Amino acid sequence: MVKERARILVVGGGYVGMYTALRLQQKLKHELKRGAVDITVVTPDPYMTYQPFLPEAAAGSISPRHVVVPLRRVLDRCHIVVGEVTSIDHTKRSATLTTLATEEEGSGWDHISYDELVLAPGSISRTLPIPGLAEYGIGFKTVEEAIGLRNHVIEQMDIASSTRDPAIRDAALTFVFVGGGYAGVEALGELEDMARYATRYYHNVQPEDMRWVLVEASDRILPEVGAEMGRYTVTELRRRNIQVLLGTRLESCAGRVAVLSDGQRLPTRTLVWTAGVKPHPLLASTDLPLTERGRLACTAQLTVDGAEHAWAAGDAAAVPDVTAAELGSLTAPNAQHAVRQAQVLGDNIVHSLRGEPLETYAHSYVGSVASLGLHKGVAQVYGRRLKGYPAWFMHRVYHLSRVPTFNRKARVLAEWTLSGLFKREIVSLGSLEHPRAEFELAAGGKPHHNPSDDSKGSS
């Protein structure tokens, strides 16, 4: 039994935030009914995004609403607050946050007190001070960005099909991806596959007219699947006429021209930035200890080192890897560790509340899988290397087993089945991004958004 009434604050609704709250909800069922425990989850979005499915959502293989998990349905015994924590004073057990209500009220911010803190704000895209990146770059970390990129690619094909200017056509059909990790390679593979299929519906756009470029600063891509599979992936992409530039950096994209460190200048209307992530800026606004790289210094029990009643896991936490041979190794900031850490974290909070000894997080990395488009993939699992259709099939099976809730599993499986029976749906819904534009024009007003001003070419 919990000795005292506990107020648990979970900051973040991603992998760690949702799975930790779900674990606490299951383990503290009786305490929640009696009011001995209160769980509050503060998250910018009322849903958790299953990021491994973003490339398939961008390619149209999965509906966007099936890539996200509604938190209010899953965490029905928790209080869900849609807002953003801006600072934390752990010595006073207080967090400052903004919500939609505080914006409407004009109060600016609100405060929430807690007894136990779970910090899981995740990470944000790591950008560099490259000229033009903020104006013309496209991210690939959220479901909104994935669907926006899908709409954008199809719109570029529409532009190329209707223009008579060869310079505009070439720029519209040049797609540059920066970053050779999972996000960049999978997004490029899926979107190239989709665009290649879409050319059958354009009378004057052929697959060979499009130019797909992957820019990677290091000498390899997909380091998670090993050097051999990384080389195979490069060969496979180049076989599909995708230009893979290793040891190359983006130096500028001002004026819609990608300037590379090898001297190439690529006029393009599409530049996708997937060159890594960095800790959430919230961590710098706390009084908790951080590592040199800005992550929370944690113990193997997932407590924040030196701070009582503070817990962390996932991208925001530097968690020791007790299974590694090398002393001082940290667990990789990926979904495989985040989901498992969340379960141990939830259990340890329960142990702490009940005065029981804590568990140590220990998980050996089993491998990685990556999709390169329909029926194409690479994988390294338990030391075994797979490629082509077997790797692609394993990618789908693994992630189907990991996506939360039976509801989502059934819907995703149904969509995959239907997509195998029917043709792809190739349509752009870019107008969804500005749904009031047409009405504002009809009402005699001026729309807040002018399509001609859109840096990414989306209308």
Side-chain angles (χ1 to χ4, degrees):
M1 299 292 291
V2 174
K3 297 179 179 180
E4 298 178 1
R5 185 177 185 275
R7 298 166 299 174
I8 303 173
L9 174 62
V10 180
V11 179
Y15 287 103
V16 174
M18 191 199 78
Y19 279 106
T20 299
L22 185 61
R23 191 73 166 183
L24 291 170
Q25 185 176 266
Q26 295 168 346
K27 293 285 186 176
L28 299 173
K29 186 184 303 182
H30 300 296
E31 287 83 352
L32 285 167
K33 285 183 179 180
R34 292 189 293 105
V37 171
D38 178 81
I39 305 173
T40 301
V41 180
V42 180
T43 171
D45 302 304
Y47 52 81
M48 188 275 272
T49 303
Y50 192 73
Q51 291 185 338
F53 280 160
L54 288 184
E56 292 202 53
S61 300
I62 301 177
S63 174
R65 68 183 184 277
H66 298 157
V67 178
V68 299
V69 180
L71 295 179
R72 295 187 189 278
R73 175 186 294 179
V74 176
L75 305 177
D76 56 338
R77 298 185 187 93
C78 302
H79 301 297
I80 306 299
V81 178
V82 178
E84 193 162 356
V85 174
T86 57
S87 65
I88 292 174
D89 187 344
H90 189 62
T91 57
K92 297 181 179 179
R93 303 290 194 273
S94 176
T96 303
L97 68 153
T98 60
T99 66
L100 297 176
T102 59
E103 293 178 6
E104 291 291 333
E105 295 167 355
S107 56
W109 60 80
D110 200 355
H111 296 280
I112 185 170
S113 299
Y114 61 85
D115 300 305
E116 302 286 340
L117 173 67
V118 178
L119 260 180
S123 57
I124 62 173
S125 296
R126 182 185 62 199
T127 58
L128 299 174
I130 296 175
L133 181 61
E135 293 80 11
Y136 302 110
I138 305 174
F140 197 79
K141 195 163 172 39
T142 67
V143 67
E144 293 85 358
E145 288 175 330
I147 305 310
L149 181 57
R150 167 187 169 82
N151 293 334
H152 173 76
V153 169
I154 297 175
E155 285 177 357
Q156 299 315 300
M157 298 179 70
D158 291 335
I159 291 172
S161 176
S162 57
T163 185
R164 297 181 180 179
D165 188 323
I168 294 178
R169 176 184 171 90
D170 289 345
L173 293 180
T174 300
F175 307 95
V176 179
F177 287 69
V178 181
Y182 273 122
V185 173
E186 290 193 329
L188 171 60
E190 292 284 355
L191 285 166
E192 190 274 340
D193 211 28
M194 179 204 73
R196 180 182 294 272
Y197 180 89
T199 56
R200 66 183 63 189
Y201 301 112
Y202 292 85
H203 69 284
N204 59 350
V205 177
Q206 302 300 321
E208 54 269 20
D209 296 336
M210 297 183 292
R211 184 179 186 183
W212 297 81
V213 183
L214 178 63
V215 179
E216 170 55 39
S218 67
D219 60 350
R220 59 188 291 191
I221 64 173
L222 292 181
E224 298 87 353
V225 298
E228 182 180 336
M229 289 293 96
R231 289 192 293 269
Y232 165 80
T233 303
V234 171
T235 303
E236 174 65 21
L237 294 178
R238 287 173 175 167
R239 187 180 293 119
R240 291 161 60 179
N241 205 29
I242 297 174
Q243 192 174 359
V244 181
L245 303 176
L246 301 178
T248 307
R249 300 181 307 277
L250 175 70
E251 295 189 341
S252 172
C253 56
R256 288 181 173 171
V257 177
V259 181
L260 307 182
S261 59
D262 62 359
Q264 293 191 65
R265 297 175 61 88
L266 308 176
T268 177
R269 296 172 60 90
T270 308
L271 190 139
V272 184
W273 181 268
T274 60
V277 296
K278 63 181 180 181
H280 197 283
L282 166 64
L283 302 184
S285 299
T286 71
D287 54 352
L288 298 171
L290 304 179
T291 64
E292 294 179 356
R293 296 193 174 185
R295 299 166 70 188
L296 290 163
C298 293
T299 67
Q301 290 72 39
L302 304 176
T303 63
V304 177
D305 197 8
E308 294 183 353
H309 308 289
W311 312 77
D315 291 356
V319 179
D321 188 352
V322 299
T323 65
E326 185 178 350
L327 190 65
S329 297
L330 302 175
T331 58
N334 55 37
Q336 185 177 142
H337 281 296
V339 173
R340 290 171 172 83
Q341 286 173 356
Q343 294 180 353
V344 176
L345 196 159
D347 289 344
N348 278 350
I349 293 177
V350 175
H351 292 325
S352 176
L353 294 176
R354 294 174 177 171
E356 301 168 352
L358 304 183
E359 302 175 22
T360 297
Y361 175 74
H363 171 68
S364 299
Y365 197 61
V366 299
S368 302
V369 291
S371 171
L372 305 178
L374 189 62
H375 299 162
K376 296 176 280 290
V378 291
Q380 180 169 306
V381 183
Y382 293 113
R384 301 190 63 180
R385 302 179 182 91
L386 299 173
K387 55 188 178 182
Y389 184 89
W392 171 84
F393 183 76
M394 177 171 286
H395 174 272
R396 285 203 161 182
V397 170
Y398 173 77
H399 286 300
L400 183 65
S401 69
R402 293 299 174 183
V403 67
T405 75
F406 177 79
N407 180 303
R408 285 293 173 274
K409 288 180 172 63
R411 291 178 183 272
V412 170
L413 182 60
E415 287 199 306
W416 281 342
T417 303
L418 292 175
S419 66
L421 299 175
F422 301 100
K423 295 181 179 180
R424 287 181 187 249
E425 293 291 342
I426 305 297
V427 61
S428 168
L429 296 176
S431 58
L432 287 176
E433 298 169 23
H434 312 286
R436 295 192 67 246
E438 184 175 349
F439 180 78
E440 288 177 345
L441 283 175
K446 184 179 180 181
H448 295 295
H449 175 82
N450 185 354
S452 64
D453 296 333
D454 197 314
S455 61
K456 301 176 184 60
S458 178
S459 62

